[in-house]
Every structure is written in C-alpha cells, then in structure tokens.
Amino acid sequence: MRTHPGEVYVQRRAGYTRTGLGSAGVGVRLPEVARQFLARQRMLVIGGHDAEGSLWASPLYGPPGFVRAEGERTVIVEAAADPDDPLHARFADEATIGAIALEPATRRRMRVNGTGHRQGDRLVITADQVFANCPRHITAREVEREVVATAPAVRADRLSADQLRLIAEADTFFIATAADGHGVDVSHRGGETGFVTGHDATTLSWPDYGGNAMFMTLGNLHLQPRCGLLFVDWTGTRPALRLTGRATVDWDPDRAAAHPGAARMIDFAVEQVVEASGPALAWRPVDD
C-alpha cells in the first residue's frame, strides 16, 4: 500500500512527525485472532459509492457466523444490503468497499477494506487492508434481541425534526470515506450522548478526538470531502439513518476547546437522507 498523501498531511498538521503511520503500514492477511473475532459478530457496517458517486455507510446483521474468513484475504458475509438501501445494487460487479466489525460488549473493532461483490444473497470481500483499532469512545452494549422493522423507506434532501432528535441522542455513528487510489474506509466515531450537533436540517458538526494517529478518515476527507454517515438506533425501535454529503475539518483550536478532549471539529453538509427498515438488533447497555 502506497503512502497516502492525505494522511501524511493530517499527521503533520496534527503534530506527528514519526513516519510509518497510517494505511501504508497496514497488513493484508487475516490472522487467526481476526478470524475468531469476525465469527462472533452480529453486525457489520459496510461503505461504498452509489451509481452517482455518493458515499454511504450501511449495516448488515446476522447470527454469529454470518461473517467468516476464508483463506488469507477473503471475508464471506451471509447478508446483503436491502432493496431500499442505497448500496443495494452497488456490488453486483466488483467495487471498492470498506467494512468495520464493531463488538460493543468488548469494545473491540476491526476494519477490512478492499473490493467486494455479491454472490446471490451473500457479499464476498477481498481484503487489501485488515487492522484492529483501540477501544476508545465505544459504548459497551450487548445484543438483547433480533428486530424486524417494516416501516416504509423515507428519502429526503434534509433532516426532519425527528431525525435531528435521533442524532442529538446518539453516542455513536459510523462514517464511510474514500480517496482515489486508496479505496473506501469505514470507521467509528463515539462520544458522550449529544456529541453530534445538528445546527439545522442540512448541517451537522462533531468534535474529533485523538486516537491512534493513523488519520485514515481525515486523510481521505482531506483529498475527497464526500462521505456517508450511519446512525443506528441501538434500541431497535426505528430504522437506521443513512446520510450522504460532504465533510470539512476545522482546525481552529478555540472552537475545539469548547469540547473537552477534542483536537479539531468536523462540519458535515447533508445532501441526501435515507431512513430504511430491515433486519436489525436491539442492544442493551452493559457495565464496562
């Protein structure tokens, strides 16, 4: 994997001078610990482009074992995006994909980036990058029950008051980013309840906290501001909320100082909104 100029820029801007950080040092093969981790998962979040080039992040659900590793680089997912999902038709042919498996109960997560294509009702991912992340900013939860929601899909170019309330109550969301020549990546963002601010129906912002200094998300955004956000209702009472738009990084330290621990702020302009039902899970909080 070649050096990512967006990551290098953000690392230097953030004050990191050590080389070898970021996606250039990420491995490709799936070690045994990764195989065991994937086999336990009930949820996988994937990211990709739609036919118009917009980025989306979408959830896939199943019983333990619905995600499994085969060989050194292949991940089989016994699920595919639902018909109302913006990514439903994307992987009919092979295309770049990012995926993250988040295990809230243990506060562990793993990302698998590469290419993906559908085989019937399954998704096959060929990994170019496989790596784990630190447990910071993950709220501990465990699966309580399976949920099947049947509400009609809602599509719009702005957020409703009800959707803004969901965002205001969130302590977690997922973000899909991409850059030409560097593929798609999906990462997790977390904080205290209310860390994402909805300023109006088309504008959100959130603080960006220090992490592992890889800066894969911000590196992609530096080169290409398009991104997709996913807000999951962990109670299972409403459909997942998917947004696509453009994000920019605000490096003003005075603005970040209003959020303890934040290093910078991210602003997001909403372009499209999809709230679509489908198989889901209800989670309950656990002591961590």
Side-chain angles (χ1 to χ4, degrees):
M1 181 64 64
R2 59 180 176 161
T3 300
H4 191 307
E7 294 170 3
V8 172
Y9 170 84
V10 175
Q11 289 159 6
R12 300 297 179 263
R13 183 74 186 263
Y16 292 89
T17 58
R18 183 165 63 88
T19 60
L21 300 171
S23 59
V26 168
V28 174
R29 293 177 175 82
L30 290 153
E32 182 59 27
V33 65
R35 297 166 182 275
Q36 295 175 9
F37 178 79
L38 289 174
R40 295 197 304 268
Q41 301 314 303
R42 304 291 310 274
M43 176 178 72
L44 185 76
V45 176
I46 61 171
H49 297 88
D50 65 13
E52 286 72 45
S54 297
L55 270 167
W56 298 90
S58 297
L60 301 176
Y61 299 98
F66 93 106
V67 183
R68 69 180 188 278
E70 287 191 357
E72 293 187 328
R73 296 179 55 193
T74 302
V75 175
I76 306 296
V77 187
E78 299 291 347
D82 294 314
D84 288 328
D85 191 289
L87 295 180
H88 172 68
R90 179 53 180 164
F91 301 106
D93 298 314
E94 190 158 307
T96 55
I97 189 172
I100 183 169
L102 181 74
E103 189 173 65
T106 62
R107 300 174 63 239
R108 295 174 62 195
R109 51 185 162 165
M110 190 179 82
R111 281 143 83 173
V112 178
N113 300 336
T115 57
H117 67 279
R118 288 183 64 166
Q119 290 183 348
D121 292 331
R122 65 167 50 168
L123 178 64
V124 179
I125 300 174
T126 301
D128 294 326
Q129 299 176 330
V130 178
F131 58 104
N133 290 118
C134 68
R136 297 181 65 185
H137 309 301
I138 298 178
T139 300
R141 295 179 168 95
E142 61 185 8
V143 175
E144 186 173 33
R145 65 184 187 281
E146 296 180 1
V147 177
V148 178
T150 58
V154 175
R155 300 174 185 273
D157 61 1
R158 61 192 58 238
L159 293 159
S160 68
D162 190 43
Q163 290 166 342
L164 283 167
R165 281 192 291 272
L166 172 66
I167 291 170
E169 295 168 357
D171 59 19
T172 302
F173 71 92
F174 300 88
I175 178 169
T177 61
D180 290 344
H182 298 280
V184 179
D185 178 68
V186 181
S187 62
H188 153 277
R189 291 293 183 269
E192 297 293 330
T193 299
F195 80 109
V196 183
T197 301
H199 300 284
D200 54 46
T202 59
T203 310
L204 307 178
S205 66
W206 62 87
D208 188 73
Y209 302 106
N212 54 16
M214 296 181 73
F215 293 116
M216 296 177 73
T217 298
L218 298 192
N220 281 344
L221 291 177
H222 177 70
L223 299 180
Q224 171 51 260
R226 287 182 178 177
C227 58
L229 309 186
L230 170 68
F231 290 87
V232 174
D233 177 12
W234 299 98
T235 69
T237 58
R238 63 177 297 159
L241 179 61
R242 305 158 176 86
L243 315 177
T244 191
R246 297 173 186 265
T248 55
V249 182
D250 185 347
W251 294 88
D252 181 359
D254 292 333
R255 186 177 173 204
H259 301 266
R264 63 217 127 239
M265 296 294 296
I266 313 297
D267 297 307
F268 178 78
V270 177
E271 294 179 352
Q272 297 179 62
V273 178
V274 174
E275 190 170 7
S277 296
L281 297 170
W283 306 69
R284 58 173 173 258
V286 298
D287 294 331
D288 57 353

